[in-house]
Amino acid sequence: MTRGAGRPRWSGQTTWVGRFDSSLRSFLRTETGSARLVVLATVAALVWANVGPSSYESFWHTPLSLQLGDWELGRDLRGWVNSGLMTIFFLVAGLELRRDFDIGELRERRRFTLPLLAGLGGMLVPILIYLAINAGNTTAAGWGVVMATDTALALATLAILGPRFSDRLRGFLLTVSVVDDVVAIVVLAVAYPEHPSPPALLTAGGIFAVVLLARATGLRYGPIYLLLGVAAWVAVSVSGVDPVVVGLLMGLLTYAYAPSRVDLERTSDLFRLFREQPTPQFAHSVRAGLVAALSPNDRLQHLYHPWASYVIVPLFALANVGLVIDGELLARAVTSPVALGVVVAYVIGKPAGIILTSRLVTVLTHNRLRPPVGWGAVTGVGTVSGIGFTVALLVASHALSGPALDEAKLGILAATVVSAVVTWSVFRLAARLPAERRARALLGTAEEIVDLLVPVDMDRDHIRGPADAPVTVVEYGDFECPYCGQAEPVVRELLAEFTKIRYVWRHLPLTEVHPHAELAAEAAEAAGDQGAFWEMHDLLFKHQDALGTVDMLHYAEQLGLDLDRFRDYLAERRSVDRIGEDVDSADLSGVSGTPTFFINGRRHHGAYDITALSAAVKGAFAQAKLRPE
C-alpha cells in the first residue's frame, strides 16, 4: 500500500539510511505485472503478422549498423532485440541467481544440489523426447528449443495460480528455471554459433579476465564495468556466439549482501555533516556512502529489472511471436515433428524430468537431500516449467528457419497455454485436499533456514501469548518509528485472530533518526521492572509524538507506577545493557531497519498489513503441524 490519501504505507521501514529490498516478493510483483504486457505484446504480434505480414517482416528486418572507420557491426532490428536488449534480461536472471547464492536460500550450498539436478533432469528428458520424435529429420537440430523455462512468465503464472503463502515454492522454481536458463545460454553459445571466430573469442576471454581482476581488487566504479561489459558484448558478437551470454556472466559475477549497520550509521553521519555544511564535497560524500551501503547486485537489479520485465521481454515477444496462422500452418503443425516434439517435450517431458529427478535424488540420499516443498508443489513446479516462451523462441530463432521455425513457434505458444492450464489444475486439486494433507503436499517437511540467530528466551524476552504456541512472531521495533506505529494495531489484530501465537518485542532504537527512541525503550524497561512493560509499550505507541522525559513520568503516573523507583531506574540507566543485547541480536540477524518481523525464525519480507502477516502466520501454522513431535 502506498502513502497517500491517509492510507498507511504497510511496506515502509525506518532505516539508518534507507535500503532497497530486492527480495523475492518484490521480484515476483514485477514479474506478475509484466506478464500482462507480454500477453498483450504476443496478441499484438499475432494480429500484426496476420493483418499485415509483409509490413511485420519488413519492419523487423530493417538493418541497423554501428560503424567506426572500416569496422562495422550490423544487425536487423529483430537481431538487436534478440542479441542486444535480451542481454539485459539475462543480466537480471544472473543477478537474481547470484543474490540467492549470497543471501538467499542457496547460501546453504547443499540446498542447491537438488534444484540443480532437477533442472538438469527437466532439460534432459524433454531433449530425449524431442529427438525421439524428430529422429532422422534435419529438424532434430532444434533440440535446444525445449531446454529452458521462461523464468519471468513461469514465476508470474505461479504467483497468479499457485498458493499464496509459499515463498519457498517460488524460490524452488526460480532456482530450477535459472539453472535451465544458464545451461540453455551455454548451449546457445556452443551448439549454435555463426561462423565462430577464435581471435574474437580470445579477446572476449581477455576482457572477462580484466573483469575478474577488477572484482578481486575491490573496484566498485560502475562505469568501468559497464565499459568492460560492452566491450565483451562486442567481442562475443563478432565471434559468432550469441552475446546474451555476456549478460548472464556479468550477473553471476555481481556480489549481493545485506547493508550492515556500520555502513548505514556511517552514511547517517555523512548526511548529518551535509546538513550542517551543504557543500558539493559533502554531497558527493553522501552519494558515495549511499552507494557503498548497498550491494552492486541490489543497485543493478533496481536499475535494470523493471526495464527487463516491462520493456525488453514484451518487445522481444512483439518481435518474435508474429507468425501467420492459417489453415496450411495448422494442418502442418498437427503432423509436424517439430510442433509435436516441442509440445510433448514441454507439457510432458518437463514435469516428468523435474519430478522423477527430484524423487530419485531424495531416495538415493535417504532424504538428506529433498525438495524444500511438498511433492504436490514439486509437481506444480514441473508443470509450470513447461512455459518455455522467451528462451525457447530465442533458441528457435538460431536453431531453425523457414517453415520449421514457424511450426516451432506455434508449438511453443501451444505448450505455454497448455502448461498454464495444467498448472492451474494441479493447484486446484491440491486445494481440495484435507488441510493437513494439503499442507504436506504444498509445504513438505524439509527444514527451513533460520534467520533469527538469537532464539527467543522465555526468561528474558518480552512475550505476549501462550508460552507453548506453535508459531512465534518476533518484532524488532522502535517506539518513535512511524512504521512501527502503523504495524502495532496490526499486531494486536493478529493476536486477536490467532489465539495460539506468541509475540515477542525486541528493541532496536534508531537514535540517528529518532532522538527519543532510546529514552522510550528505557522507559518501557523501567515500567517492566514494575511488571507493566506491555502497558507502557501500548501507551508509547499511542503517543509517539510525545516521548520526552516529562512525558515518560506522566505515563508512569498514569499507569500507577512507583514514580521514585521509575525515576531512579531511568537516572541510573539500568536497562542500557539489556537494550544493547537486543541491538546486538538484531545485528547478528542482519536487521537494518524497523519494523522487522521474524515468523518461527524466518524473516518476513514485504508488507506487514493484516493480510500479509496473516498469510505468513497461516503458512507457519501449516508448517508447524508437519514437524515431528
Side-chain angles (χ1 to χ4, degrees):
M1 196 175 287
T2 56
R3 189 186 299 274
R7 300 169 67 188
R9 183 185 172 193
W10 296 113
S11 59
Q13 188 181 63
T14 299
T15 64
W16 281 272
V17 173
R19 66 182 180 88
F20 172 70
D21 185 5
S22 180
S23 65
L24 176 60
R25 193 177 301 272
S26 64
F27 186 90
L28 290 168
R29 280 198 297 268
T30 303
E31 301 307 342
T32 304
S34 70
R36 299 183 180 90
L37 291 178
V38 174
V39 172
L40 289 174
T42 299
V43 173
L46 291 172
V47 171
W48 184 2
N50 283 272
V51 172
S54 60
S55 66
Y56 180 83
E57 287 301 325
S58 63
F59 177 80
W60 292 111
H61 279 106
T62 302
L64 178 64
S65 300
L66 298 176
Q67 187 168 359
L68 183 63
D70 295 331
W71 176 83
E72 181 180 6
L73 179 63
R75 297 177 183 272
D76 59 20
L77 290 182
R78 180 178 287 140
W80 282 109
V81 171
N82 292 359
S83 298
L85 294 181
M86 286 299 288
T87 303
I88 298 176
F89 170 81
F90 286 105
L91 169 68
V92 173
L95 289 170
E96 187 61 27
L97 182 59
R98 180 56 193 249
R99 189 179 195 281
D100 216 22
F101 259 105
D102 289 343
I103 57 178
E105 286 279 347
L106 301 182
R107 67 183 184 270
E108 289 188 6
R109 294 296 183 251
R110 66 181 179 85
R111 292 177 180 260
F112 183 58
T113 304
L114 188 142
L116 170 64
L117 295 175
L120 294 176
M123 288 185 287
L124 181 60
V125 173
I127 289 172
L128 293 176
I129 290 175
Y130 182 88
L131 288 175
I133 295 176
N134 286 267
N137 297 321
T138 57
T139 53
W143 57 269
V145 174
V146 298
M147 291 179 61
T149 296
D150 187 317
T151 304
L153 284 184
L155 283 170
T157 302
L158 193 62
I160 295 169
L161 302 179
R164 300 291 182 234
F165 54 79
S166 182
D167 283 344
R168 284 191 297 162
L169 169 60
R170 294 165 174 85
F172 181 57
L173 170 62
L174 178 66
T175 307
V176 170
S177 61
V178 172
V179 167
D180 284 2
D181 286 347
V182 171
V183 178
I185 294 308
V186 172
V187 168
L188 185 63
V190 174
Y192 301 110
E194 298 178 1
H195 311 296
S197 169
L201 283 175
L202 288 174
T203 301
I207 295 171
F208 272 109
V210 174
V211 172
L212 291 173
L213 179 62
R215 181 174 175 268
T217 58
L219 180 65
R220 299 174 59 92
Y221 189 57
I224 294 294
Y225 290 102
L226 176 62
L227 289 175
L228 290 171
V230 171
W233 185 90
V234 171
V236 173
S237 183
V238 171
S239 75
V241 174
D242 195 303
V244 294
V245 68
V246 174
L248 187 65
L249 290 175
M250 294 298 285
L252 291 172
L253 290 174
T254 307
Y255 290 117
Y257 51 80
S260 68
R261 186 162 66 93
V262 173
D263 289 336
L264 294 173
E265 287 178 335
R266 184 183 301 117
T267 306
S268 290
D269 292 339
L270 290 171
F271 182 78
R272 189 177 297 109
L273 289 173
F274 173 74
R275 182 72 180 270
E276 294 170 354
Q277 299 182 51
T279 63
Q281 291 80 5
F282 280 127
H284 176 75
S285 298
V286 171
R287 284 195 296 269
L290 288 170
V291 168
L294 290 173
S295 73
N297 190 292
D298 278 340
R299 296 199 307 274
L300 290 177
Q301 282 210 52
H302 182 60
L303 179 62
Y304 291 118
H305 187 200
W307 283 100
S309 296
Y310 291 125
V311 178
I312 293 172
V313 174
L315 189 59
F316 174 86
L318 184 65
N320 288 273
V321 178
L323 72 159
V324 179
I325 301 178
D326 53 19
E328 180 186 353
L329 176 60
L330 294 175
R332 289 203 323 265
V334 172
T335 58
S336 164
V338 176
L340 291 176
V342 169
V343 172
V344 176
Y346 268 122
V347 176
I348 297 176
K350 268 289 181 183
I354 290 171
I355 296 167
L356 292 176
T357 304
S358 299
R359 176 63 75 177
L360 184 62
V361 171
T362 302
V363 171
L364 292 179
T365 61
H366 303 288
N367 280 334
R368 287 193 300 274
L369 294 177
R370 52 184 168 174
V373 292
W375 290 105
V378 172
T379 302
V381 167
T383 57
V384 82
S385 295
I387 299 175
F389 200 74
T390 304
V391 186
L393 288 170
L394 182 63
V395 177
S397 67
H398 287 73
L400 302 168
S401 60
L405 178 57
D406 288 342
E407 293 161 11
K409 288 181 178 181
L410 189 60
I412 291 167
L413 288 173
T416 297
V417 174
V418 174
S419 294
V421 172
V422 174
T423 300
W424 176 84
S425 301
V426 167
F427 287 114
R428 288 307 92 197
L429 289 173
R432 294 181 179 180
L433 294 173
E436 186 171 344
R437 290 185 61 193
R438 181 172 67 249
R440 188 175 297 275
L442 295 178
L443 298 175
T445 57
E447 294 181 1
E448 292 193 80
I449 292 178
V450 176
D451 298 315
L452 185 68
L453 296 189
V454 178
V456 174
D457 186 338
M458 294 297 299
D459 296 325
R460 176 194 175 280
D461 279 308
H462 299 295
I463 298 172
R464 270 178 167 165
D468 59 347
V471 173
T472 299
V473 176
V474 176
E475 178 185 359
Y476 282 92
D478 171 329
F479 289 112
E480 199 174 357
C481 166
Y483 302 114
C484 295
Q486 293 170 8
E488 196 272 334
V490 175
V491 169
R492 280 191 277 109
E493 188 175 348
L494 196 68
L495 290 170
E497 180 180 352
F498 301 97
T499 56
K500 293 184 178 180
I501 185 175
R502 183 173 59 172
Y503 170 70
V504 179
W505 168 272
R506 286 182 176 174
H507 300 288
L508 185 57
L510 307 183
T511 54
E512 291 82 5
V513 289
H514 298 144
H516 303 101
E518 182 80 23
L519 174 62
E522 293 182 23
E525 291 298 326
D529 182 58
Q530 300 185 44
F533 174 85
W534 289 110
E535 291 81 355
M536 180 63 79
H537 167 279
D538 296 345
L539 269 178
L540 293 174
F541 273 123
K542 286 181 181 178
H543 305 285
Q544 282 191 295
D545 56 343
L547 298 177
T549 303
V550 175
D551 300 309
M552 300 303 160
L553 294 173
H554 172 69
Y555 302 147
E557 182 179 11
Q558 185 177 336
L559 294 175
L561 303 182
D562 183 329
L563 291 183
D564 291 334
R565 181 177 168 184
F566 184 83
R567 286 193 191 94
D568 291 343
Y569 197 101
L570 286 180
E572 296 171 13
R573 305 200 67 190
R574 297 178 195 170
S575 60
V576 169
D577 292 341
R578 166 74 171 71
I579 295 169
E581 290 172 359
D582 280 357
V583 173
D584 290 341
S585 73
D587 288 343
L588 289 173
S589 299
V591 178
S592 59
T594 56
T596 295
F597 291 92
F598 293 83
I599 300 175
N600 276 0
R602 188 68 186 269
R603 184 164 179 166
H604 171 73
H605 291 284
Y608 44 81
D609 60 0
I610 189 61
T611 302
L613 284 180
S614 292
V617 167
K618 287 176 182 176
F621 271 116
Q623 189 69 44
K625 291 179 181 178
L626 303 179
R627 289 197 297 260
E629 296 295 334

